[in-house]
Amino acid sequence: MIVGEVLGLLAVGAFAGVVSTVVSLASIVSYPALLAFGLSPLAANVTNTVALLFTGLGAAFGSRPELAGQGPRVLRLGWLTMLGGATGALLLLVTPSETFEQIAPWLIGLASLLLIRPPRGGRHREHGLLMRCALFAVAIYVGYFGAAGGILMLAVLSSMLEGTPAKLNALKNVLSGMANAVAATGFALFGPVDWGAAVPLALGFLLGGWFGPKIARRLPGQSLRYLAAACGLAVAVKLGYDAYTG
């Protein structure tokens, strides 16, 4: 790749990393950019997932205040998202994408509406089977494609757990990162990863993932939830239009 393309992907990754950690929409920025740089849809998808691993690393480092004391919870829920990420990666490599493309807008739209709903007190459903199944299903989606997958995961975590939006967002970033890590390993071994594009994109993701939590923790009240919900609804409309009219 020429120097201009490398710098361009670095900038795209930095911006997408911030977008990922704040409103969970990294792939909406980075995936079209990879297509614009000439990658095929499958190569762009797997390359994006491999690079996204570094968003999780940057976000974990940048979210240390919000993650304090959440280590046991990460361990309890992380294995579930890792298993889901592996399942999603396998599905991507062996199945056509049309079905997921048609279902995704409805999932993202519903999750966005759930985020708008005011949080209720007294809910502790972390160990409930239904919530864990929902988290596993979201992790499959993250490993498969992941466009707005963080919004789906944030909606599930908001229903499972109590906590400030910034703390739930930090947990979402780590759990999504764990799902991505497993999927990225599978893609690195068996998928058509474009490493020339993946490396500068990953470095950008690392920087953006580190900086994003600094923005998220400064958003007042429930504004982080509402911002993510508004972006998610916009993405659901766009993906729905593409899936059903393209």
Side-chain angles (χ1 to χ4, degrees):
M1 301 186 74
I2 63 175
V3 174
E5 292 176 329
V6 170
L7 294 177
L9 284 170
L10 182 64
V12 166
F15 178 64
V18 172
V19 171
S20 173
T21 53
V22 178
V23 292
S24 309
L25 293 175
S27 294
I28 300 302
V29 176
S30 53
Y31 177 73
L34 290 170
L35 294 177
F37 277 97
L39 276 68
S40 69
L42 178 59
N45 198 350
V46 299
T47 300
N48 186 59
T49 299
V50 169
L52 271 172
L53 169 63
F54 289 84
T55 299
L57 293 175
F61 185 77
S63 300
R64 285 175 296 173
E66 289 79 14
L67 291 172
Q70 295 206 73
R73 179 172 286 164
V74 170
L75 293 177
R76 286 196 301 271
L77 300 178
W79 71 268
L80 194 60
T81 62
M82 292 175 70
L83 182 60
T87 304
L90 178 62
L91 285 174
L92 177 66
L93 293 175
V94 301
T95 63
S97 61
E98 287 79 6
T99 300
F100 267 76
E101 290 174 355
Q102 292 180 352
I103 294 175
W106 300 100
L107 294 175
I108 296 167
L110 177 60
S112 301
L113 292 175
L114 289 174
L115 285 176
I116 295 173
R117 183 185 61 180
R120 301 174 183 174
R123 295 177 303 166
H124 296 280
R125 293 186 279 181
E126 177 181 344
H127 302 288
L129 178 60
L130 180 60
M131 288 292 99
R132 285 178 171 254
C133 288
L135 187 63
F136 176 69
V138 169
I140 292 175
Y141 176 77
V142 169
Y144 185 91
F145 178 53
I151 289 178
L152 296 173
M153 187 166 290
L154 183 59
V156 172
L157 291 175
S158 296
S159 297
M160 291 176 67
L161 310 168
E162 288 187 340
T164 65
K167 283 193 172 184
L168 292 176
N169 192 59
L171 181 62
K172 175 267 297 180
N173 289 331
V174 172
L175 294 178
S176 296
M178 295 173 78
N180 266 323
V182 178
T185 300
F187 293 153
L189 294 174
F190 305 109
V193 178
D194 187 321
W195 292 104
V199 171
L201 188 64
L203 291 175
F205 275 145
L206 183 65
L207 293 173
W210 170 78
F211 186 74
K214 300 177 184 298
I215 298 174
R217 71 171 57 104
R218 286 172 172 77
L219 293 175
Q222 300 294 322
S223 60
L224 179 61
R225 291 163 56 94
Y226 299 141
L227 178 60
C231 292
L233 287 172
V235 170
V237 171
K238 176 62 168 63
L239 291 180
Y241 179 82
D242 292 342
Y244 290 98
T245 64

